[in-house]
Amino acid sequence: MDPTFLSIIMVVVLLGAILLRAPIGLAMGLVGAAGYAALSSVAGLQAYIASAWPDRFLSYELAIVPLFILMGNLATRTGISAALFSASNAWIGHFRGGLAMASVAGCAMFGAISGSSIATASTMARVALPEMRKHKYSDALASGCLAAGGTLGILIPPSIVLIIYALLTEQNIVKLFLAATLPGLLAIVGFMITIAIYVRLYPEEGPSQQPASLSTRLRSLGQVWHIVAIFVIVLGGIYGGFFTLGRGGLGWRGADGACRIADPRADA
């Protein structure tokens, strides 16, 4: 069978399985396995599976990805996401459309510790969406600002996507993080300006609320100090070279500044 035609069939089958609410990982695995067997053979598929699992689980290059996801899950379970939204809401929630702006700010801060857009959007939606509905925000504005704010997860360093890109292309991860910082900040400001203009044109979409007292605002900052600490430790350690080990260890950068992760098994 022509590989191009087979690829089209696989994409159609995959989308159909997803529309039928099959687990995405299971659907991708089954479709990929069927396509591999069609292009090669069943024996070739079995040989690939036998060797692929150990290689994927022992991948030092991708070890950082589940660790960032774990950090994001820990932040969710410990209530950090709720504290982020509460702190943002205490400072800017009294403006018209302020809850939507606070959601964007919360997404930006949560993205700085999770590195994932999907995790950022889903986590902040659980916290911010009920609060915006409670204050009579329209579903269009509430869902739109959370979807837009979720994209900040791959812009605000550290980003899983940038890490994978740096590993695949052997680029300097520090320069990539620095390059992504300004677009991330511009995106935050742009989202908030857009929300402010939108609620000016349609005031009923995002009503204002009573401002928080100064003591409440200061107390909210005390609930998010550990988030700032995580951000400073992670990025400060990367920028300062503290997380770069010597030869034969797990390193972020090579001698030329490119992002490489050395495999300790190479010297065995």
Side-chain angles (χ1 to χ4, degrees):
M1 182 180 296
D2 181 56
T4 303
F5 182 67
L6 178 61
S7 300
I8 296 174
I9 295 177
M10 291 174 61
V11 171
V12 173
V13 173
L14 176 61
L15 294 178
I18 294 175
L19 291 176
L20 292 175
R21 296 184 179 276
I24 296 178
L26 178 61
M28 294 178 63
L30 292 178
V31 172
Y36 193 101
L39 292 175
S40 177
S41 63
V42 176
L45 174 63
Q46 293 175 343
Y48 174 76
I49 292 177
S51 61
W53 286 105
D55 290 342
R56 294 299 178 268
F57 280 109
L58 296 177
S59 173
Y60 285 84
E61 291 81 1
L62 299 177
I64 191 64
V65 175
L67 293 178
F68 270 116
I69 295 176
L70 174 62
M71 185 165 62
N73 287 332
L74 291 176
T76 302
R77 296 297 181 180
T78 54
I80 289 180
S81 56
L84 287 172
F85 178 74
S86 299
S88 302
N89 185 33
W91 287 92
I92 61 178
H94 59 282
F95 295 110
R96 186 176 297 277
L99 283 177
M101 298 180 188
S103 300
V104 172
C107 287
M109 289 185 284
F110 188 84
I113 59 175
S114 70
S116 169
S117 289
I118 297 176
T120 300
S122 61
T123 301
M124 294 306 302
R126 298 174 190 172
V127 178
L129 190 57
E131 193 70 18
M132 284 191 279
R133 285 177 173 173
K134 176 182 176 182
H135 288 83
K136 309 301 182 183
Y137 275 61
S138 68
D139 288 340
L141 177 61
S143 58
C145 68
L146 288 171
T151 61
L152 297 172
I154 62 174
L155 277 177
I156 305 297
S159 167
I160 293 177
V161 173
L162 289 179
I163 292 173
I164 295 177
Y165 176 82
L167 291 170
L168 293 176
T169 60
E170 295 190 353
Q171 298 298 314
N172 191 318
I173 189 62
V174 177
K175 292 182 179 179
L176 286 177
F177 280 175
L178 289 174
T181 300
L182 182 57
L185 295 176
L186 290 176
I188 297 171
V189 175
F191 290 155
M192 291 189 174
I193 292 176
T194 302
I195 293 172
I197 295 175
Y198 182 79
V199 295
R200 287 291 179 182
L201 297 176
Y202 306 98
E204 69 281 358
E205 296 285 303
S208 59
Q209 58 178 342
Q210 292 296 325
S213 63
L214 180 59
S215 59
T216 302
R217 295 180 181 182
L218 295 177
R219 189 164 55 250
S220 68
L221 293 180
Q223 298 174 353
V224 297
W225 67 268
H226 43 290
I227 302 168
V228 178
I230 292 175
F231 184 79
V232 171
I233 291 173
V234 172
L235 292 187
I238 294 174
Y239 293 153
F242 297 107
F243 296 154
T244 303
L245 301 183
R247 184 177 179 181
L250 182 63
W252 279 94
R253 288 175 290 173
D256 56 353
C259 181
R260 297 188 181 90
I261 296 185
D263 190 343
R265 297 172 297 175
D267 297 332

